[in-house]
Structures are given as C-alpha cells and as structure tokens.
Amino acid sequence: MSFENLTDRELKVLQNLIIHYIRTADPVGSRVIANKFRMGLSPATIRNTMQDLEELGLIKQPHTSAGRIPTDTGYRLFVDMLLKPEPLNDTEKNKIRNMIGANKKGIDSVLSQTSKILGEITNQLGITISPRFEEGILTRIDLIPVSDGKLLVIVAVKSGLARTILMEVESDIEFEELRQMELILNERLVGNSLGHIRKTLNERLSDTQCSPRLLKLFLDSSDEILGEQGDEKLHYTGADKLFSQPEFADRVKLTELIKLLEGRRELVDLVAQKTMTEGIVITIGGEIPINQIQECSLVITQYKIGNISGTIGVIGPTRMPYSKLISIVEYTAKSLTETLSDL
Amino acid sequence: MSFENLTDRELKVLQNLIIHYIRTADPVGSRVIANKFRMGLSPATIRNTMQDLEELGLIKQPHTSAGRIPTDTGYRLFVDMLLKPEPLNDTEKNKIRNMIGANKKGIDSVLSQTSKILGEITNQLGITISPRFEEGILTRIDLIPVSDGKLLVIVAVKSGLARTILMEVESDIEFEELRQMELILNERLVGNSLGHIRKTLNERLSDTQCSPRLLKLFLDSSDEILGEQGDEKLHYTGADKLFSQPEFADRVKLTELIKLLEGRRELVDLVAQKTMTEGIVITIGGEIPINQIQECSLVITQYKIGNISGTIGVIGPTRMPYSKLISIVEYTAKSLTETLSDL
DNA sequence: GTTTGGCAATCTCTTATTTAGAGTGCTAAT
DNA sequence: ATTAGCACTCTAAATAAGAGATTGCCAAAC
C-alpha cells in the first residue's frame, strides 16, 4: 500500500501522535494532539483524521475508548518520511568518543565497551558484533610450534587484525616441514579475502608438493582457520533498560528475549544479514523475522576496521526514540571506526 | 552461635522444612511437616519445635499466620550438616559429558558451552570463568612481526594454553633485534608462573643488553602481556531460568541482577576469590558481599587445565536444590577438566 | 463542506470490600 | 511431654463500585 496521497494534516497528526506515544507509552487521544501540539483544530476534527489513519492501518486502538497507538506500518512511514534526526550536542559526542577511547586493550574489549555505551546513552539494549573476518584480506600466515604437538596458526589480515588458532598436530613434525608449508601458504593465499580463500582452497593447494600430512591437516581445519561463519562475537549491554519499559511488563516476553540474547547465534545472523548494506538500517516490529522480538525494533549500522566491517546498534521496543537513536548509533559507529583504526 | 546441642527432632524438622520449602517455595506449616513427612508427631508438637528453631534464628515467618521459611543461617546449617548429596544417574552424567565434549573449538567456546549446560540442567544461572592465566607456567614466548608496526606476542603456558597480544611498535624494528629479545625473554622467564614473572619482571630483565627500546616496550606492556587481573572471561547462561522463580517476582531485583551480570567485573572478582580453595564452595545469601544478590546462593568449584585453574558454578535463589546442585557442579567440573586436558 | 460542541456509550484502571483459607500461639486436657 | 481445641491474625483471591478517558456520531455552527 502506498501512502503518497496522505494529506498534510494526516501526516502531521500521525507524526505528533507517534512523537507523543514514544515519549509517554500511553495511547494518545484526540484531545492531547489538539491541545499539546497546538494544531489549531478541535479534538473532534482530529478524531476524524484519526479514523482515516486507522482505516489506512497506520494507527490502532488497543481497545475502544483508549487513544490510538502506531502500528508497525505507522512507524515505518514515520521513520521513512516524517522523522527529523535529532543531532547530538557536544557533551553527548564527547561522552561517546571518550568512553570508546577509554579502553584500548584489543578489539574485543573496545566492542564490549561500545555496547555498554550504546546501552547507557540510548537506554536501549546496545549490541555490537565483531568484524566479519571473512572479508579480511590475508596479509600473512604464520605457523608456530608451541609445546609438543601444538601448532599455533596466526592469520593476519589487512589493518592489523589477527586471529590465532591453536591446533593439534602429530608431535614429530619437522621444523623444515613447517617452514615450507608456511612459505607455500603465504605464496598462494596472501592478498585474497579469507572468505574467498576458503571457497577456493582446494584448487589453490592441489598441486603442491609440500608435506602431505600437513596439507591434509590444514585443509581439514580450513573452516576453523579461515573463519566459517559463527565466530562473530556478540556483545550486548543494557538488558536492564528494557526491563523497565512497559512493553516488557509481560514476564514471558522478557524471558523469551533473554533466551534469544543468550542463544546469540540467531541474533547475530539476523543482524549480520540486515547490515550488508551501508548506512543506518532500521527494522521495525514484524519486519524482524524472529518471533520473540516482533515487538522490538532494530537500529543498526556498520563500522569498519580496515576493509572489514562489523555491526553495532540497538534493540528496543518499537516505541523507541528513532530520531535520537539514529544519530547516536551513527556517531558511535563513526567513533568506533576511528578508534579501531587508531589501534 | 553454635548449634551443636540441637535435638534430633529439631534437626529433623529443620531438614524437612527446608526440603519442602525448596520444592514448593511456599512457607511450610506445621501440618505439612507432621503429615507429609510422617514424623509421628502432631502438628502442635511440631509447632513447639518450630518456635524453638525460630528463636535460634534458623527459620522465620514471612508474616504471622504463614508457615516458616529457612533463614540464611538455617540454610547454612542444612548445607553443612543435613544435606545428603544426590548422586547423578547415568543419563545425567552422559548428557553433561556429551554436551561439553560436543564443541571443541577452543577453550572459550567450551566454557561458553559449559555455562549453557549448567544453566540448562540445574535450572539456575550457570556461570563459568576462564582460567586464571596468572597461575600458568610460561613455556615459551614468541615475538612475531605481522604487518608494519604490529608485533604479535605469543605467550604459551604449560598444558598448551596460549595467549596472543597484538602490540604497536615502531616500524623499523630489525628482525635480529627481535630475535635477540625473544631469546633473552625465553631464557630468563620460562619455567615461572606468569604472575610471578610479572611481579619480578624488572629485576629479571634489569641487566640485559638487548635493544633498549624493545625492552622498554615490553616492560611497559607487561601487565597486558602477563595478565594483570581483568581478563578472566565470564560466561553466563540461564538468566531466563531465574526470571521464572518467585523470588525474582520483584522487577527491581531482576534488574539489579542483570546489571550485575552485565557489569561482569564485580561478579568475577567475587567468584574468583571464593574459589581459591579446592572443592565445592557454597555461599549463601547474606554471606555474599554483593548487595544485589543477597537473596541468592552460589555453588561453585574449580576446574583445571594443566596447573591453571578456573571456576564454574551456578547462581540461584537461596532456595535452591543444594543437594542436586553440588553433584552437578562437581561432575561438570570434573568433565570439563577432562575435556580440556584432551584438547 | 468543514469544523466543532455535545453527549451517550464503552472500556480500563484503581480502590474498597468481602470472603475464604491457612497457620499460629496459647491453654487446658491427656 | 504431647495433643486437641480455639480464638486470632494475616494473606490472597474474588467481587463490587467508582472514577476517568476516549470514542463515535449527530446536529449545529462557521
């Protein structure tokens, strides 16, 4: 359904209604809109307009004789057409930047810290997902024997990120054997993205004449080494913020949400998929393909470390202050990208 | 206060009361104890005994005309003297072992999985804390230049655990310089525990004649490299289990608990401290020095990986099935230790 | 043709009131 | 020492009553 021929008045009423509802969480009546927003119209007139909006499926009544609340469709229209992003003031910007910069002990801790900031200043659930290593361009592989029978594989990608994997090997592997393998790997793989390498690994290494057992080991563990999806780490902070929101008054919903968060996988997949594109992505209510959070919205965006990207954002009830959140998430991603390129 | 001169009857009544209360979460009245537990005494007699127990501070009434519930002291006595550990059956044992073994992609994922098991089969909040690296005996240090200006430090300790730290260095460090530093570090530090090394680092390296700038860098980053407290990772799973318990009916308590969990640090410190000793440690209610969870109990124990130890256990309301939990936590720790030494 | 005031109707939310039930503590009898 | 009996207390659930909000619609006003 297209809403292009909505009158100005209808748009204005919808906008005010949503703004007010986001603030108060109470169904909004015609009187409130007429008085609080000084539209120069009587409640009765507003009522008529509201009836129209309801017929269009943009707002609804929880029950007769309550005011109206926005539907998902209403929020969608609001977000797409009526929303004016609320810029951050300097205090807020500084707070974000300082908090992200405060703790530079590695990317993981920065991300954890970032989810905390997001949670804190948005009053929603802040989430961060670690970079999709797959996208990284391999710059180097090292094979280091540590203790007996252990081999440490170091996969370094552009922009200084590195992953280490500890592998089990037969204990009688010769140093020279390793050296040679290392050489071949670097020769043939460097410069490509891990994801690409993983897909084409067999061909790339097919005609080598290095140690067959090492080769086999490497091929067998390729998923682990090169990063098969599933190792993106999810950080979330601010669950307590959601608890105090009226939409989570229902214990069952709360429980479901926590289960989802603790399960991680499902959420990571969802978010990762939604954010293949650049810029802020907003997903509202039923647009989310996960049952447990269909009364929630997602505001997410990408951050970058080198040419690898990851995702940050917030989850909260559909009744969330989108205009503010967009600015916050955007700025936080920007700051995060900067901080990460620093280190 | 000592409770050594409690009569058999008093002990028995206390025991039954606690057992029943743990099951039902309802204050237990004299009738229930007299009838359900076939003590051969009338409710009136039980009432008298209960009055004694109340005077001793072992049980209390939520209000007149409710039954009694145990106090923290009561639980303590119960745990120390009256509890018969409930052995696991084979099904349970298998489930634990299989689930831990199912996912061997590195210690972190095993620990995460373990917290999940604990949560699931105890119906409490399962927690795991990663090994205290400090206790590890250094077997080797590698310094590997990765990209320009990045140095990867690999710290390997006994039992095949290794930690990697990515460091910033000046980009014109020579290979030979590194090699030499590496040699010296290995020579002087290997064989000691990281914690010990950290404390004595300055003396140990004082009279070396290796690259001064590398030395300085290393000394400056020693905390990061050798493991200053603070990097023990906390995994927890099963928060939703707690939500459905009546003791968390109060939203505020729930919120506080979540905040605590998300804060991590405080909980890690508490648990780590409680578990310096071997064996199961049970901490009940007010014995916990954290306000937010004073109506909770902790059942924790150590696991080992090589000679390094970490902690696992459960958190739940003081009204928890201690006798079962002890067995579960104990067996899980044992299985975990085995699994970890495998890999 | 819009817009508005008026008003009955509807529904929720809050607060009281009542009632039923459980458990205690005490006393007197066993 | 144990127990039956009983008045008393307090909670929890059910019911009732009342207050408040908002709507939809109609007829009047602009």
Side-chain angles (χ1 to χ4, degrees):
Chain A
M1 195 182 318
S2 120
F3 299 103
E4 279 159 28
N5 38 18
L6 283 175
T7 64
D8 273 5
R9 178 183 296 168
E10 285 167 335
L11 287 175
K12 199 71 192 162
V13 167
L14 177 63
Q15 182 178 41
N16 288 339
L17 184 145
I18 294 187
I19 288 176
H20 195 265
Y21 181 64
I22 284 176
R23 250 212 313 276
T24 64
D26 267 340
V28 187
S30 53
R31 257 236 334 259
V32 174
I33 294 188
N35 298 338
K36 273 239 163 64
F37 290 91
R38 315 216 158 280
M39 296 189 64
L41 293 170
S42 78
T45 313
I46 304 290
R47 272 206 284 287
N48 291 329
T49 310
M50 285 167 85
Q51 271 180 321
D52 296 343
L53 291 173
E54 179 150 22
E55 269 162 38
L56 290 168
L58 293 167
I59 58 179
K60 66 184 172 191
Q61 284 181 284
H63 53 262
T64 353
S65 119
R68 305 279 204 315
I69 63 178
T71 62
D72 286 355
T73 321
Y75 280 122
R76 171 50 63 197
L77 181 64
F78 175 76
V79 164
D80 287 344
M81 303 179 51
L82 302 172
L83 177 129
K84 33 188 172 193
E86 199 171 313
L88 306 184
N89 61 39
D90 286 350
T91 318
E92 295 168 314
K93 288 188 181 177
N94 285 335
K95 187 173 178 191
I96 293 176
R97 231 191 335 233
N98 293 338
M99 280 187 75
I100 294 187
N103 182 348
K104 293 194 179 181
K105 289 186 189 169
I107 186 168
D108 229 51
S109 110
V110 172
L111 286 176
S112 154
Q113 175 77 354
T114 301
S115 82
K116 200 167 164 185
I117 302 171
L118 279 173
E120 241 171 60
I121 71 176
T122 65
N123 260 296
Q124 314 286 328
L125 184 80
I127 60 181
T128 61
I129 297 183
S130 60
R132 283 178 282 281
F133 225 74
E134 286 224 325
E135 301 169 5
I137 306 291
L138 183 69
T139 57
R140 169 167 178 165
I141 287 192
D142 287 287
L143 304 178
I144 315 226
V146 273
S147 64
D148 230 39
K150 305 276 183 194
L151 180 63
L152 192 64
V153 181
I154 303 175
V155 178
V157 300
K158 243 183 189 161
S159 76
L161 225 50
R163 161 198 287 175
T164 60
I165 304 101
L166 197 60
M167 285 175 55
E168 202 79 42
V169 293
E170 297 166 51
S171 54
D172 61 338
I173 301 254
E174 306 244 332
F175 190 72
E176 203 37 55
E177 223 175 322
L178 272 182
R179 218 81 191 111
Q180 198 198 350
M181 180 77 187
E182 207 177 68
L183 218 66
I184 294 179
L185 288 178
N186 278 290
E187 209 166 79
R188 306 209 174 183
L189 306 182
V190 163
N192 296 288
S193 81
L194 298 192
H196 184 237
I197 293 176
R198 189 156 54 83
K199 282 186 213 117
T200 59
L201 191 63
N202 278 306
E203 310 151 35
R204 279 173 193 279
L205 297 181
S206 59
D207 64 326
T208 70
Q209 61 271 54
C210 71
S211 158
R213 56 178 184 178
L214 261 183
L215 184 60
K216 177 166 188 319
L217 186 69
F218 192 81
L219 288 175
D220 287 350
S221 320
S222 67
D223 275 357
E224 205 177 330
I225 295 172
L226 294 172
E228 173 70 345
Q229 41 109 271
D231 61 359
E232 296 92 356
K233 278 190 199 135
L234 168 69
H235 295 275
Y236 59 86
T237 312
D240 57 295
K241 302 287 176 22
L242 295 191
F243 293 2
S244 42
Q245 313 259 247
E247 19 278 279
F248 284 97
D250 182 3
R251 286 193 102 61
V252 180
K253 270 183 213 153
L254 239 169
T255 308
E256 289 300 317
L257 175 65
I258 291 293
K259 262 193 207 158
L260 183 72
L261 287 171
E262 289 188 346
R264 284 187 155 79
R265 182 83 264 128
E266 200 175 355
L267 192 60
V268 170
D269 286 346
L270 164 69
V271 170
Q273 167 211 330
K274 286 277 173 203
T275 186
M276 294 317 290
T277 139
E278 296 241 342
I280 294 268
V281 177
I282 298 182
T283 314
I284 298 170
E287 298 169 7
I288 301 176
I290 297 181
N291 282 323
Q292 293 97 69
I293 50 172
Q294 297 220 328
E295 292 173 34
C296 291
S297 285
L298 233 55
V299 177
I300 55 184
T301 194
Q302 284 189 336
Y303 66 88
K304 293 265 183 186
I305 172 165
N307 70 323
I308 315 178
S309 64
T311 306
I312 70 170
V314 299
I315 295 182
T318 46
R319 182 188 60 79
M320 51 163 55
Y322 295 95
S323 38
K324 191 87 198 190
L325 293 188
I326 290 176
S327 306
I328 294 176
V329 170
E330 202 161 36
Y331 188 80
T332 306
K334 203 178 117 213
S335 301
L336 179 59
T337 299
E338 281 168 19
T339 302
L340 288 177
S341 76
D342 263 21
L343 178 80
Chain B
M1 194 183 315
S2 121
F3 299 103
E4 278 157 29
N5 38 18
L6 283 175
T7 64
D8 273 6
R9 177 182 297 168
E10 285 167 334
L11 287 175
K12 201 69 191 162
V13 167
L14 178 63
Q15 182 178 41
N16 288 339
L17 185 145
I18 294 186
I19 288 176
H20 195 264
Y21 181 64
I22 284 177
R23 252 213 311 277
T24 62
D26 269 340
V28 187
S30 52
R31 257 237 330 260
V32 175
I33 294 189
N35 298 340
K36 272 237 163 65
F37 290 91
R38 316 217 157 277
M39 295 191 63
L41 294 169
S42 78
T45 312
I46 303 290
R47 272 206 285 286
N48 291 328
T49 310
M50 285 168 86
Q51 272 178 321
D52 296 342
L53 291 173
E54 178 150 23
E55 270 161 39
L56 290 168
L58 293 167
I59 58 180
K60 67 185 173 192
Q61 282 180 287
H63 53 264
T64 355
S65 121
R68 306 288 208 303
I69 63 179
T71 61
D72 287 356
T73 321
Y75 280 122
R76 171 50 64 197
L77 181 64
F78 175 75
V79 165
D80 287 345
M81 302 178 52
L82 302 173
L83 177 128
K84 32 187 173 193
E86 199 170 312
L88 306 184
N89 62 39
D90 286 350
T91 318
E92 295 167 314
K93 288 187 181 177
N94 285 335
K95 186 172 180 192
I96 293 176
R97 233 192 333 235
N98 293 338
M99 281 188 74
I100 295 187
N103 182 348
K104 292 194 179 181
K105 289 186 189 170
I107 187 168
D108 227 52
S109 108
V110 171
L111 286 177
S112 154
Q113 176 77 353
T114 302
S115 82
K116 199 167 163 186
I117 303 171
L118 279 173
E120 240 171 61
I121 72 176
T122 65
N123 259 296
Q124 315 286 329
L125 184 80
I127 60 181
T128 62
I129 296 183
S130 59
R132 283 178 283 281
F133 226 74
E134 286 224 325
E135 301 169 5
I137 306 291
L138 183 68
T139 57
R140 168 166 179 168
I141 286 192
D142 286 287
L143 304 179
I144 317 229
V146 271
S147 62
D148 230 38
K150 306 276 183 194
L151 181 63
L152 191 64
V153 182
I154 303 174
V155 179
V157 301
K158 246 183 187 159
S159 75
L161 225 50
R163 161 198 287 175
T164 60
I165 304 103
L166 197 59
M167 284 177 55
E168 202 79 43
V169 292
E170 299 165 49
S171 55
D172 62 337
I173 300 254
E174 307 243 334
F175 190 72
E176 203 36 57
E177 221 175 323
L178 272 181
R179 218 79 191 113
Q180 198 198 350
M181 181 74 187
E182 206 177 69
L183 217 67
I184 294 179
L185 288 178
N186 277 290
E187 208 166 78
R188 305 212 174 180
L189 305 183
V190 163
N192 296 289
S193 81
L194 297 192
H196 184 238
I197 293 175
R198 189 157 54 81
K199 282 187 213 116
T200 59
L201 193 62
N202 277 307
E203 310 150 35
R204 280 174 193 279
L205 297 182
S206 58
D207 63 327
T208 69
Q209 62 271 53
C210 70
S211 157
R213 57 180 184 174
L214 262 183
L215 184 61
K216 179 165 184 321
L217 185 71
F218 191 82
L219 288 176
D220 286 349
S221 321
S222 66
D223 275 357
E224 207 178 326
I225 296 172
L226 295 171
E228 173 70 348
Q229 42 112 266
D231 61 0
E232 296 92 357
K233 279 192 197 130
L234 168 69
H235 295 275
Y236 60 85
T237 312
D240 57 294
K241 302 290 176 20
L242 295 191
F243 293 2
S244 43
Q245 312 260 241
E247 21 278 278
F248 284 96
D250 182 4
R251 283 192 105 58
V252 180
K253 270 183 213 152
L254 238 170
T255 308
E256 290 300 318
L257 175 66
I258 292 293
K259 263 192 206 159
L260 183 72
L261 288 172
E262 288 188 346
R264 284 189 153 78
R265 181 82 264 129
E266 200 175 356
L267 192 61
V268 170
D269 286 346
L270 164 69
V271 170
Q273 166 210 332
K274 286 277 174 202
T275 185
M276 295 317 291
T277 138
E278 295 241 343
I280 295 268
V281 177
I282 298 181
T283 313
I284 298 168
E287 298 169 6
I288 301 176
I290 297 180
N291 283 322
Q292 292 97 70
I293 50 172
Q294 297 220 328
E295 291 174 33
C296 291
S297 285
L298 232 56
V299 177
I300 54 183
T301 194
Q302 287 189 335
Y303 66 87
K304 294 265 181 184
I305 171 164
N307 69 323
I308 315 179
S309 63
T311 306
I312 70 169
V314 298
I315 296 182
T318 47
R319 180 189 61 79
M320 53 164 51
Y322 295 94
S323 38
K324 192 86 197 188
L325 293 188
I326 289 176
S327 305
I328 295 176
V329 171
E330 201 160 36
Y331 188 80
T332 307
K334 203 178 117 213
S335 301
L336 179 60
T337 299
E338 280 167 19
T339 302
L340 289 177
S341 76
D342 262 22
L343 177 77

